[in-house]
Amino acid sequence: MTLGVALAFANAVNYVDESVRQARVAAEHGLTSVWFGQRMDYDSAALAAIVGREVPGLQVGTSAIPVTGRHPLLVSSQAQTAQAATGGRYHLGIALGSAFAAGAFGVPFDRPIARLREFLTALRELLDTGTADFHGELLTAAPPLPTAVPGAEPRIPVLVAAMGPQSLRAAGELADGILPYLAGPSTLAEHIVPVITRASSTAPRIVAFVPGVVTAEVEATRAKAVEQMAFYEQIPSYRRVIDLEGVDRAGQLAVIGDEETVAAEIQRYYDAGATEIVLTSTDLASEADELRTWKLLGELNRRQAPAR
């Protein structure tokens, strides 16, 4: 059971330099992993590779690269390059994508589960064997040259941003685990963990992404979370898990309070079946509160570390 953070910020003179700086600070505070979402600007796999190389010992991951507008051959190359660059500390996150993302690429958003299954099947073959001969209904991956990157070891874990029943079954059968976001403890325990566990042949990784921050300004921070996270309420997959948790607004799922409150809520996610937790939106309050949050996560990591 480990704790990490998702890094994201609005203002930076150089986004790569700032990512490296923040990752170093996170590692100094005892965090074991940093994760990068795939947006419309930077390349998350490349950013993770740079950060992982610059900050030795830190696990790095992408959460998550949408299959919409991508091809398994290209994602395999990105992932293997990041794995070689970090000395085996890269974690690849894949997502179904959305109609919003599909529109940006000018491609249809149709049969998303079928596309996810074909993508994962071809990707896993590429990563595991260094080639592929996959011919599906929606995509083909049949490279005429080897695709293995020297030094890309050990085996790259593939995780899926899955929360619905069909995507959970696909992840259980074809990936190493999942990256649920905005799925509260009750939803995890009752609707997510049982489904992927039944579909998996081995114990799946459940890396829960949870918005949260340690702060004394609880009401103001909660109001900010409700405002900033309203976007997710319009996306069906997130709307479903928000409703399942019994709240109206996505921001209500943010973990906000003092150290004792946040630590207790984190434990609820572990009790619900999460194997790892990544806190997001730790910049909701002040910079001092963000560092206070990272300090708590580092302390919790040290408590969980096995005695030597």
Side-chain angles (χ1 to χ4, degrees):
M1 298 188 296
T2 60
L3 287 154
V5 290
L7 296 183
F9 35 89
N11 300 310
V13 175
N14 183 303
Y15 204 94
V16 174
D17 290 345
E18 181 62 15
S19 296
V20 171
R21 186 193 72 80
Q22 289 205 18
R24 285 189 175 130
V25 174
E28 289 167 0
H29 280 74
L31 280 86
T32 53
S33 68
V34 295
W35 296 73
F36 302 93
Q38 181 60 60
R39 310 190 313 198
M40 292 289 179
D41 44 13
Y42 63 72
D43 181 272
S44 59
L47 189 56
I50 294 167
V51 168
R53 193 166 183 84
E54 291 289 324
V55 189
L58 191 65
Q59 302 288 317
V60 292
T62 56
S63 179
I65 298 174
V67 301
T68 304
R70 270 86 176 178
H71 190 279
L73 276 167
L74 299 179
V75 173
S76 170
S77 297
Q78 289 178 294
Q80 290 186 75
T81 303
Q83 184 75 327
T86 60
R89 289 177 280 116
Y90 177 68
H91 305 253
L92 172 60
I94 295 294
L96 278 78
S98 65
F100 172 77
F105 285 100
V107 297
F109 184 65
D110 57 350
R111 301 182 65 190
I113 300 299
R115 186 174 299 277
L116 175 66
R117 281 186 169 276
E118 290 195 5
F119 197 102
L120 287 172
T121 301
L123 177 65
R124 191 75 273 170
E125 186 176 350
L126 289 163
L127 294 177
D128 289 348
T129 71
T131 188
D133 188 22
F134 180 82
H135 301 267
E137 293 184 68
L138 303 174
L139 64 86
T140 294
L145 298 172
T147 61
V149 175
E153 298 172 349
R155 179 181 181 273
I156 300 169
V158 177
L159 307 163
V160 182
M163 295 187 292
Q166 293 186 75
S167 59
L168 286 169
R169 286 192 287 271
E173 295 168 16
L174 301 169
D176 300 295
I178 55 172
L179 304 161
Y181 175 59
L182 295 183
S186 297
T187 303
L188 270 181
E190 298 171 16
H191 301 279
I192 291 180
V193 174
V195 177
I196 188 170
T197 300
R198 285 194 298 269
S200 302
S201 58
T202 59
R205 288 175 60 185
I206 314 291
V207 187
F209 278 63
V210 182
V213 61
V214 175
T215 180
E217 303 296 329
V218 175
E219 291 187 9
T221 305
R222 177 74 63 193
K224 188 175 180 180
V226 168
E227 178 183 359
Q228 289 192 358
M229 297 167 62
F231 165 78
Y232 295 101
E233 297 161 11
Q234 312 304 316
I235 301 174
S237 59
Y238 292 115
R239 182 71 259 176
R240 175 179 175 270
V241 292
I242 292 168
D243 291 340
L244 284 173
E245 199 64 21
V247 298
D248 296 322
R249 307 300 304 273
Q252 292 174 262
L253 294 168
V255 176
I256 301 171
D258 60 16
E259 282 84 354
E260 184 177 354
T261 298
V262 172
E265 286 299 304
I266 286 173
Q267 187 59 50
R268 289 186 65 212
Y269 279 87
Y270 281 136
D271 293 342
T275 59
E276 301 154 64
I277 294 173
V278 176
L279 239 59
T280 73
S281 304
T282 59
D283 61 345
L284 274 170
S286 67
E287 183 177 349
D289 284 337
E290 181 167 50
L291 294 179
R292 185 178 167 189
T293 306
W294 292 6
K295 180 181 178 181
L296 170 66
L297 299 180
E299 291 173 351
L300 294 175
N301 268 333
R302 283 187 285 272
R303 291 180 201 171
Q304 295 172 163
R308 295 184 178 180

